[in-house]
Amino acid sequence: MHHLRNFCIIAHIDHGKSTLADRLLEFTKTITDRERKDQLLDDMDLERERGITIKSHAIQMEYAHRDGKFILNLIDTPGHVDFSYEVSRSIAACEGALLVVDAAQGIQAQTISNLYLALEHDLEIIPVLNKIDLPSANPEEVKDQIVELIGCKHEDIIPASAKTGLGIDDILDAIVARIPAPKGDPNAPLQALIFDSVYNPFRGIEAYFRVMNGKMAKNQKIRFMATGKSYNADEVGVLKLTKSPRDVIEAGDVGYLISGIKEASEVKVGDTITTVVEGSTVPIEGFEEVKPMVFAGIYPVDTEDFEELRASLEKLRLNDASLTFEAESSAALGFGFRCGFLGMLHMEIIQERLEREFQMTVITTVPNVSYCSYLKSDPDKVVHVHNPSDYPDPSRLDRIEEPYIRAQIITKSEYVGAIMTLCIEKRGQIQNQVYLTSDRVEMAFEMPLAEIVFDFYDKLKTISRGYASFDYHPIDYRASDLVKVDIMLNGDPVDALSFLVHRTKSHDIGRKMCEKLKELIPRQQYMVAIQAAIGVKIIARETLSALRKDVTAKCYGGDISRKRKLLEKQKEGKKRMRQVGSVEIPQQAFLAVLRLND
């Protein structure tokens, strides 16, 4: 065990984690020249196209050190705030972390929040200053920032460039020298922590785990503690670039397990694996459950694909444990699912993966956050509102509370005024403001989560020319004056378009929604009234005029009463059509709601 090292790489978006992982694999000769390519561990097409990491990936390297041969397990992690849950899972399986900071951009918000995650788990931190070959690099100033942040010495920081391969040897030496070997008793009963799982259509579910105590052997009878189900370990092994089977995996090591599990719900990330005979009775602690932040309905375009969509979502949930879903129905869209996501980027990724990996075309409703409501009849009992249609009758409502977050924004000092204006518009309250250097400021705000769900991140990047970095974590629920706005077409409410919003913004958003729908809904043979309403009070209205067919075209000259008769007949027909006709809402209308402010 003392020749084993488990570590992960944590950093802000685009600070060079994936490139650094590529170089480490090359230097330890884990991959041959033939297998070389950029972003080697990002195996999803989406990750390669967008240039971001979405999933954590584990890989084992062998490093020939002067003290002998060491085995290094690297777990590469995402950097985007929506995927910090993946980072927390990877950290649970490691003893050390490489903290990668860009020498040109310095420390960003996500760097700090991931660092705190690592420190909570008592990980040994190795600071790495990446991209020092860039002409815009400012290594001395950024070194001072790192020293101030984690209290290390200047000489502890390793200067490197993942692109050119400079300093990679020093990093490998530091991993061996500074990160402690895993602790664990190989003779104790088996305890292994599952930190990821993937679905393989040929072999069932593959679970990735880290053995804390004991050992796992091939063909052993094993048991999952959360579900209590037992299986046979058909194949265990370690993760090189491809899977390499072993007979036994001992304490401290990271490996994979294939046991022919078919049901997605049976493998829970964070669960403990033990043996059936003389197994452990205590599960491993210190693993947090994920809480979705944003909810949206996902409906199949064709109602008959409902079961297929359920199967696709279950397979997606396997290697994305942060996705939650339950069935729901809507009058406008038929049967579908209410899904919980960690953020808007996460929602986009899920939608794209459904289309690519499962060929499902789906309609997504307006995303919203979940609220807590309390009724007058029982003011202590919480009623959760995940969906505007669950909103209780206002006359029976005692109060409603919405989730608040603490947002951390790091930016250049010239953009402070614009960012403050943006946050105050979004009902934020500034808590404090600290100058990290002469022109970099860290600002902390408390604001409602609902306000940052839609387009806050994009706007922040626009007004700060891409400089500001943003990170948030939930704090609590607070009472708020919220109202439910219904959108009605000819007096019929369209449940998929209704939304909850703060009273001060309801008129504004209601008006914008009606204007947007007027552009998008195709004109009918009869007049269509598009209205926004709070309860019975109409707050905005647009009228879509009818397509007029000229019924009097064949009457030229002659008596006016003939024309009147035809016009009256047309008027009657339109009135009848309006009573029975239903207005089709095109899919763009549902998507346009997300981009109301553009």
Side-chain angles (χ1 to χ4, degrees):
M1 262 169 72
H2 61 272
H3 278 173
L4 262 178
R5 298 286 183 273
N6 297 321
F7 69 100
C8 59
I9 304 179
I10 54 178
H12 190 75
I13 313 159
D14 286 343
H15 280 201
K17 293 179 295 297
S18 298
T19 316
L20 180 63
D22 292 348
R23 291 300 154 276
L24 291 173
L25 295 176
E26 273 167 38
F27 270 69
T28 54
K29 301 192 174 51
T30 306
I31 52 172
T32 59
D33 286 347
R34 193 167 60 88
E35 294 165 329
R36 262 182 71 169
K37 60 179 179 184
D38 287 343
Q39 276 182 277
L40 189 84
L41 293 178
D42 294 349
D43 50 10
M44 226 187 285
D45 291 345
L46 255 176
E47 294 181 307
R48 309 187 73 83
E49 278 170 31
R50 290 180 175 228
I52 56 176
T53 306
I54 295 169
K55 288 283 304 156
S56 306
H57 293 277
I59 192 162
Q60 190 175 82
M61 305 176 274
E62 290 178 3
Y63 176 51
H65 190 258
R66 53 185 175 274
D67 299 342
K69 194 169 84 172
F70 280 82
I71 290 179
L72 314 178
N73 286 315
L74 157 69
I75 302 178
D76 181 29
T77 60
H80 199 282
V81 57
D82 274 16
F83 304 115
S84 55
Y85 172 65
E86 289 274 337
V87 182
S88 77
R89 300 184 346 192
S90 308
I91 285 175
C94 298
E95 274 83 32
L98 298 179
L99 178 74
V100 180
V101 181
D102 185 326
Q105 294 186 355
I107 285 173
Q108 306 277 317
Q110 196 60 33
T111 318
I112 297 177
S113 80
N114 284 346
L115 173 72
Y116 287 152
L117 268 178
L119 289 174
E120 276 171 26
H121 284 264
D122 296 333
L123 263 60
E124 179 64 39
I125 308 286
I126 300 177
V128 175
L129 191 61
N130 193 17
K131 305 195 189 184
I132 57 166
D133 57 323
L134 287 181
S136 60
N138 192 347
E140 290 312 310
E141 189 181 310
V142 178
K143 272 187 178 176
D144 292 341
Q145 289 178 20
I146 297 175
V147 168
E148 201 173 307
L149 181 67
I150 60 177
C152 61
K153 299 189 182 71
H154 266 268
E155 51 272 20
D156 290 346
I157 301 170
I158 304 169
S161 163
K163 194 164 78 179
T164 60
L166 175 78
I168 302 293
D169 282 336
D170 300 341
I171 294 176
L172 286 164
D173 286 342
I175 290 169
V176 169
R178 298 194 214 165
I179 293 179
K183 296 180 180 63
D185 180 358
N187 301 318
L190 171 70
Q191 277 184 316
L193 173 79
I194 303 178
F195 64 84
D196 205 352
S197 61
V198 229
Y199 182 75
N200 179 332
F202 304 106
R203 310 199 58 184
I205 289 154
E206 302 166 1
Y208 295 167
F209 61 86
R210 148 87 197 266
V211 183
M212 298 295 186
N213 290 312
K215 46 178 168 282
M216 189 185 291
K218 190 178 171 179
N219 291 329
Q220 202 173 16
K221 278 265 189 251
I222 52 146
R223 182 167 61 92
F224 287 8
M225 288 182 121
T227 57
K229 301 211 169 181
S230 306
Y231 303 98
N232 191 39
D234 297 341
E235 185 183 307
V236 294
V238 293
L239 295 152
K240 294 284 179 72
L241 197 56
T242 53
K243 298 180 179 60
S244 81
R246 299 284 153 92
D247 288 333
V248 68
I249 292 187
E250 301 213 335
D253 212 343
V254 171
Y256 70 91
L257 159 77
I258 297 177
S259 53
I261 304 170
K262 293 180 188 66
E263 281 295 314
S265 54
E266 291 175 20
V267 179
K268 289 193 165 51
V269 170
D271 190 5
T272 306
I273 309 176
T274 185
T275 49
V276 172
V277 184
E278 296 177 359
S280 164
T281 50
V282 195
I284 301 161
E285 296 218 340
F287 195 84
E288 53 180 291
E289 271 290 306
V290 58
K291 293 184 188 69
M293 291 287 163
V294 177
F295 294 87
I298 288 188
Y299 291 84
V301 173
D302 192 350
T303 334
E304 290 160 8
D305 297 341
F306 175 71
E307 282 305 324
E308 211 173 307
L309 179 61
R310 182 197 295 270
S312 310
L313 282 169
E314 276 178 0
K315 285 174 188 160
L316 267 185
R317 183 159 65 182
L318 263 185
N319 56 10
D320 186 348
S322 46
L323 170 70
T324 59
F325 62 89
E326 54 185 49
E328 69 161 9
S329 64
S330 140
L333 299 170
F335 289 101
F337 293 94
R338 189 94 198 143
C339 303
F341 309 97
L342 298 177
M344 291 297 274
L345 177 72
H346 186 207
M347 180 173 124
E348 260 179 66
I349 299 281
I350 293 287
Q351 207 175 338
E352 255 186 76
R353 285 182 68 185
L354 279 173
E355 281 174 19
R356 284 183 184 214
E357 296 171 29
F358 304 100
Q359 285 77 49
M360 298 289 308
T361 39
V362 292
I363 297 176
T364 313
T365 64
V366 191
N368 63 312
V369 299
S370 94
Y371 300 96
C372 288
S373 61
Y374 298 87
L375 301 178
K376 286 177 182 164
S377 55
D378 187 357
D380 296 330
K381 189 182 169 202
V382 185
V383 181
H384 287 285
V385 180
H386 293 314
N387 187 345
S389 58
D390 303 340
Y391 185 72
D393 178 5
S395 60
R396 293 172 43 228
L397 194 65
D398 181 47
R399 64 187 190 282
I400 187 159
E401 296 181 347
E402 63 176 334
Y404 265 69
I405 56 154
R406 189 179 177 85
Q408 235 182 341
I409 298 172
I410 295 182
T411 178
K412 288 198 155 185
S413 51
E414 63 205 77
Y415 305 120
V416 168
I419 288 174
M420 274 191 160
T421 313
L422 172 71
C423 292
I424 288 163
E425 260 175 33
K426 300 275 185 191
R427 297 192 284 138
Q429 296 159 345
I430 185 155
Q431 298 298 310
N432 69 349
Q433 187 175 339
V434 183
Y435 276 80
L436 302 170
T437 63
S438 58
D439 73 331
R440 282 172 58 96
V441 192
E442 180 191 345
M443 303 156 80
F445 288 91
E446 286 186 0
M447 56 206 297
L449 177 64
E451 295 287 344
I452 66 157
V453 164
F454 286 141
D455 52 358
F456 178 77
Y457 192 62
D458 301 345
K459 280 192 169 170
L460 180 70
K461 284 288 184 202
T462 312
I463 59 177
S464 66
R465 307 224 178 113
Y467 271 111
S469 62
F470 167 70
D471 179 51
Y472 67 87
H473 54 266
I475 37 180
D476 54 9
Y477 280 79
R478 299 182 186 174
S480 183
D481 184 14
L482 298 172
V483 289
K484 177 185 173 190
V485 179
D486 287 310
I487 300 294
M488 303 198 292
L489 297 179
N490 281 345
D492 296 333
V494 182
D495 57 353
L497 287 175
S498 57
F499 54 93
L500 290 173
V501 66
H502 196 263
R503 193 181 292 274
T504 53
K505 299 196 169 182
S506 57
H507 287 66
D508 192 30
I509 295 186
R511 196 183 67 250
K512 281 186 183 166
M513 283 271 279
C514 291
E515 285 167 7
K516 200 86 171 183
L517 288 171
K518 185 180 177 183
E519 292 165 27
L520 291 164
I521 292 177
R523 285 173 71 187
Q524 309 291 326
Q525 292 279 340
Y526 49 90
M527 189 181 79
V528 177
I530 304 168
Q531 296 166 312
I534 299 174
V536 291
K537 182 183 168 197
I538 305 291
I539 55 169
R541 167 173 174 144
E542 291 287 330
T543 307
L544 194 63
S545 53
L547 281 170
R548 181 159 176 266
K549 184 180 169 195
D550 191 0
V551 285
T552 59
K554 60 179 187 288
C555 308
Y556 41 90
D559 189 359
I560 185 87
S561 59
R562 286 181 62 211
K563 288 188 183 177
R564 279 219 186 106
K565 189 174 158 191
L566 288 168
L567 286 169
E568 284 298 321
K569 200 171 168 189
Q570 183 188 31
K571 197 162 140 191
E572 282 297 311
K574 282 188 189 278
K575 199 168 167 186
R576 205 164 49 243
M577 273 167 81
R578 189 174 169 185
Q579 283 168 356
V580 296
S582 65
V583 185
E584 280 291 304
I585 301 174
Q587 186 173 351
Q588 293 95 320
F590 294 105
L591 300 176
V593 179
L594 312 185
R595 291 187 285 276
L596 269 183
N597 296 348
D598 294 2

